[in-house]
């Protein structure tokens, strides 16, 4: 079973700082254990680049998994070869074994067929629950499926169900909220969502390129000067398609992007030259909350302010609260947006919080994910 246990670790202590991805795979693991399967788990952690990096070993992850499962999780120091084979041979039905970091071998990211075959030889069936890595065609996310009968785990199925239903058959009105630092990272996303949604709210760092494209002075706010024409085209496309696209009407601006920096609230027409936007203002929060109340499906990708630095998290918190209070289907993209919702303690009140940052972004861009596509094919087709 491929899982995505690529969890954030505290830089100083190495302690797991957020175990959401581990918890998200419990239903599939527990179901397999209950059915008497010998469960072999494989994952990557961090970016060891094909070398053994001690700090990126999976053993502590196995310990946390064991605590969450309430049963011991065996661990083996390699993911292929004799030690792995011996550990698998020693497994009894209903036992769980975690293999060492897949990316200690360069063949993993190279999707080397021989390596995939060696991984496949450990089991009889391949279950893929690693949505967070499904946008990568690696040996454990794609290659293995050529050698074994394969299927999606419950998490993978849930992720794909929520995201595809939103894109293909959303209950209307369908609203997208986009934010985050850069427009350049989100151009494809905006293009694809524009074809699907009734309403789009733009906040965060990316909003300033749009405001500048409309001729406003944006002070020291983050801006991609080379994308002003693209921004104008997106605004024009929204008009053409009858999509209501809302930008912030007021902002919180600060002298510096750091804790304790002086800040004030201004309308978008009055951004001081020496200050930069760090959050949406109170009028925009009310405006966005009103539109969220009207929506029946909401997809949210990207924080609307610098949520890592309070009080510049207030706008992102207000969006999260509006979503939590809504009876719409609410889908939160992974990465920073998921971290924000988790930080506010509101994750449980969303319909779905994705465990994949890059994967959910690519899915919402309309791209096929190799780790998903391979599961749709013929089982075990080599
Ligand atoms: P992304 O990974 O593209 O979704 O970007 C997330 C990052 O965007 C977070 O780290 C936020 O702090 C950052 N961000 C949001 N709003 C702003 C802003 N107004 N200025 C600079 N960075 C921002």
């Amino acid at each position: 079973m491929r899982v995505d246990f690529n969890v954030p670790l505290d830089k100083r202590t190495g302690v797991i700082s957020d175990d959401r991805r581990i918890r998200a795979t419990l239903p599939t693991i527990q179901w397999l254990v209950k059915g008497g399967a010998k469960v072999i788990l494989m994952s990557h952690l961090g970016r060891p680049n094909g070398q053994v990096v001690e700090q990126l070993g999976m053993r502590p992850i196995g310990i946390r998994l064991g605590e969450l499962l309430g049963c011991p999780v065996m661990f083996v120091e390699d993911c292929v070869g004799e030690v792995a084979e011996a550990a698998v041979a020693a497994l009894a039905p209903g036992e769980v074994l975690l293999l060492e970091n897949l990316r200690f071998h360069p063949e993993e990211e190279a999707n080397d067929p021989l390596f995939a075959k060696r991984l496949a030889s450990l089991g009889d069936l391949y279950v893929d629950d690693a949505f967070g890595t499904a946008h990568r065609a690696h040996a454990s996310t794609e290659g293995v499926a050529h050698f074994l009968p394969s299927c999606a785990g419950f998490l993978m199925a849930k992720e794909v169900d929520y995201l595809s239903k939103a894109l293909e058959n959303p209950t209307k009105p369908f609203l997208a909220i986009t934010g985050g630092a850069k427009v350049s990272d989100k151009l494809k996303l905006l293009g694809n969502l524009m074809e699907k949604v009734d309403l789009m709210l733009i906040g965060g760092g990316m909003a300033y390129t749009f405001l500048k494209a409309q001729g406003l002075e944006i002070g020291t706010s983050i801006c991609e000067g080379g994308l002003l024409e693209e921004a104008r085209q997106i605004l024009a496309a929204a008009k053409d398609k009858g999509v209501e696209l809302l930008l912030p009407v007021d902002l919180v601006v600060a002298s510096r992007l750091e804790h304790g920096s002086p800040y004030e609230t201004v309308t978008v027409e009055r951004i001081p030259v020496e200050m930069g936007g760090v959050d949406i203002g109170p009028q925009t929060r009310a405006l966005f909350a009103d539109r969220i109340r009207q929506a029946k499906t909401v997809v949210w990708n990207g924080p609307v302010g610098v949520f890592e630095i309070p009080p510049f998290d207030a706008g992102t918190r207000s969006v999260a609260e509006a979503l939590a209070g809504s009876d719409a289907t609410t889908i939160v993209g992974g990465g920073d947006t998921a971290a924000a919702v988790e930080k506010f303690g509101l994750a449980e009140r969303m319909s779905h919080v994705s465990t994949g940052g890059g994967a959910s972004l690519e899915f919402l861009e309309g791209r096929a994910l190799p780790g998903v596509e391979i599961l749709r094919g013929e089982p075990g087709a080599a």
Side-chain angles (χ1 to χ4, degrees):
M1 176 173 166
R2 176 54 153 109
V3 286
D4 187 347
F5 286 170
N6 182 32
V7 290
L9 304 173
D10 184 283
K11 279 196 190 75
R12 264 182 327 107
T13 60
V15 170
I16 300 166
S17 50
D18 178 357
D19 65 3
R20 204 166 55 89
R21 281 183 162 169
I22 305 178
R23 285 186 276 121
T25 60
L26 294 179
T28 312
I29 299 173
Q30 281 161 337
W31 189 84
L32 290 168
V33 164
K34 212 169 156 205
K38 300 178 181 179
V39 185
I40 308 160
L41 300 174
M42 53 181 176
S43 176
H44 75 286
L45 176 63
R47 295 189 172 161
N49 292 324
Q51 285 173 1
V52 177
V53 176
E54 213 177 304
Q55 298 91 310
L56 296 177
M58 301 295 300
R59 194 188 287 273
I61 312 281
I63 294 170
R64 175 65 65 90
L65 174 65
E67 288 163 6
L68 293 169
L69 280 174
C71 73
V73 170
M74 328 285 166
F75 173 77
V76 60
E77 294 82 3
D78 204 350
C79 60
V80 286
E82 276 174 30
V83 280
E85 283 157 21
V88 169
L91 271 184
E95 285 186 341
V96 181
L97 169 71
L98 178 63
L99 306 179
E100 184 52 289
N101 196 335
L102 292 156
R103 291 195 190 169
F104 284 178
H105 293 264
E107 298 92 335
E108 159 64 358
E109 288 182 81
N111 197 2
D112 179 275
L114 210 65
F115 183 73
K117 201 171 177 182
R118 291 173 78 199
L119 289 173
S121 73
L122 297 175
D124 303 309
L125 178 77
Y126 171 61
V127 180
D128 188 0
D129 224 9
F131 178 75
T133 330
H135 56 317
R136 308 280 181 226
H138 293 168
S140 66
T141 61
E142 201 271 350
V144 172
H146 292 272
F147 299 103
L148 287 175
S150 312
C151 68
F154 296 128
L155 173 63
M156 175 70 96
K158 184 173 174 231
E159 294 267 12
V160 173
D161 279 354
Y162 267 105
L163 293 170
S164 3
K165 171 145 196 294
L167 290 184
E168 285 156 27
N169 189 20
T171 311
K172 300 258 181 175
F174 181 15
L175 163 71
I177 310 165
T178 57
K182 293 193 196 153
V183 185
S184 50
D185 291 342
K186 307 281 165 86
L187 276 177
K188 282 206 192 85
L189 175 77
L190 293 174
N192 193 43
L193 289 179
M194 192 66 82
E195 302 293 326
K196 321 263 180 195
V197 301
D198 305 297
L199 247 102
M200 187 176 279
L201 310 178
I202 298 185
M206 63 189 284
Y208 302 95
T209 303
F210 285 92
L211 294 175
K212 181 146 178 138
Q214 292 183 319
L216 291 166
E217 265 315 318
I218 57 165
T220 61
S221 309
I222 184 171
C223 175
E224 288 169 284
L227 290 181
L228 297 181
E229 192 42 45
E230 264 92 345
R232 282 185 207 109
Q233 281 169 11
I234 291 169
L235 295 170
K239 215 175 217 164
D240 272 4
K241 293 179 198 306
V243 172
E244 188 188 15
L245 190 155
L246 297 181
L247 290 166
V249 291
D250 65 341
L251 302 160
V252 176
V253 292
S255 309
R256 292 178 310 277
L257 248 186
E258 58 191 47
H259 285 277
S261 165
Y263 65 95
E264 58 185 275
T265 302
V266 295
T267 61
V268 286
E269 293 86 12
R270 297 196 180 280
I271 304 177
V273 282
E274 75 287 2
M275 294 177 106
V278 290
D279 198 7
I280 55 172
Q283 279 183 52
T284 309
R285 288 171 212 165
L287 180 67
F288 282 13
D290 176 67
R291 293 305 192 274
I292 291 168
R293 262 192 298 278
Q294 294 169 17
K296 288 284 170 240
T297 305
V298 185
V299 168
W300 181 18
N301 186 298
V304 295
V306 186
F307 77 98
E308 299 93 337
I309 309 180
F312 312 143
D313 59 349
T316 303
R317 184 189 293 270
S318 77
V319 168
E321 281 168 353
L323 255 61
S326 148
D327 60 5
T329 300
T330 49
I331 301 168
V332 178
D336 281 322
T337 326
V341 167
E342 191 79 27
K343 175 183 155 184
F344 304 139
L346 294 171
E348 303 311 321
R349 295 180 58 194
M350 306 296 156
S351 309
H352 182 62
V353 180
S354 179
T355 54
S360 69
L361 180 63
E362 289 196 19
F363 200 104
L364 293 171
E365 286 172 349
R367 283 154 71 165
L369 310 186
V372 173
E373 291 312 305
I374 190 72
L375 299 177
R376 299 189 204 275
E378 285 298 304

